[in-house]
Each structure stands twice: as C-alpha cells, then as structure tokens.
Amino acid sequence: MCKRVYLEKAGCNRRQLDLEKIRSYLEENGYTLAQSPKTADLILLGTCAFKEKEEDESVVRLRALRKYDKQILVYGCLPDIAKEK
C-alpha cells in the first residue's frame, strides 16, 4: 500500500477545495504527504479543462510529472473533457 502521496493542482482554482478535502482525508487515514513528486509513492493531480488555457496547463503538468515514473491519479475536468490528451 502506498503511504507517501504528493498532491498538486493544475488549471483552475476550483480544484483547491478538492485538494484540501483530499489532504485532510489522507492525513486522517495514516498517509504521509510528500513534499515533492520524487519522494512520493503516488501522485494526485487535480486538473481543469474548462478553458483551453487551463486544459493546456493541466496537460503540461501531467507530462512533467510522468518523468518521476510514479503512479499518477488524475482527477477533475481533464479526464472527462479531454480524455484523449
């Protein structure tokens, strides 16, 4: 079971509330919040794709996080609106 989780949001500010809820849940359930993706077992990326600018920002960040060769969980608008990306 992964215990170190890195949280990040890309795109709109609406994901900030989600991120805070997730952070609280993880802390209450024995997970450690990693300070960088390099030290994490799992990366959670909150995304947006409502506007092209946010979609592009989310995709750029997702591609950058792939270099860490970690499991990445993407949530938010991007998987629903631009699944192909």
Side-chain angles (χ1 to χ4, degrees), residues 8-37:
E8 184 172 322
K9 74 170 185 70
C12 71
N13 289 326
R14 294 178 188 162
R15 298 287 75 92
Q16 187 63 38
L17 180 58
D18 295 340
L19 197 68
E20 292 307 318
K21 289 179 182 179
I22 292 169
R23 180 185 319 274
S24 293
Y25 173 85
L26 293 173
E27 289 175 336
E28 290 172 10
N29 287 281
Y31 291 84
T32 300
L33 298 178
Q35 296 300 311
S36 76

Side-chain angles (χ1 to χ4, degrees), residues 55-68:
E55 180 179 323
D56 291 345
E57 181 183 333
S58 294
V59 170
V60 166
R61 194 59 198 139
L62 176 57
R63 288 181 179 155
L65 289 170
R66 285 184 178 166
K67 73 179 180 183
Y68 295 103

Side-chain angles (χ1 to χ4, degrees), residues 4-5 14 17 25 32 34 38 42 47 61 64 71-72 74:
R4 293 172 307 195
V5 182
R14 294 178 188 162
L17 180 58
Y25 173 85
T32 300
K38 185 177 181 179
L42 173 68
T47 63
R61 194 59 198 139
Q71 183 179 8
I72 301 173
V74 179

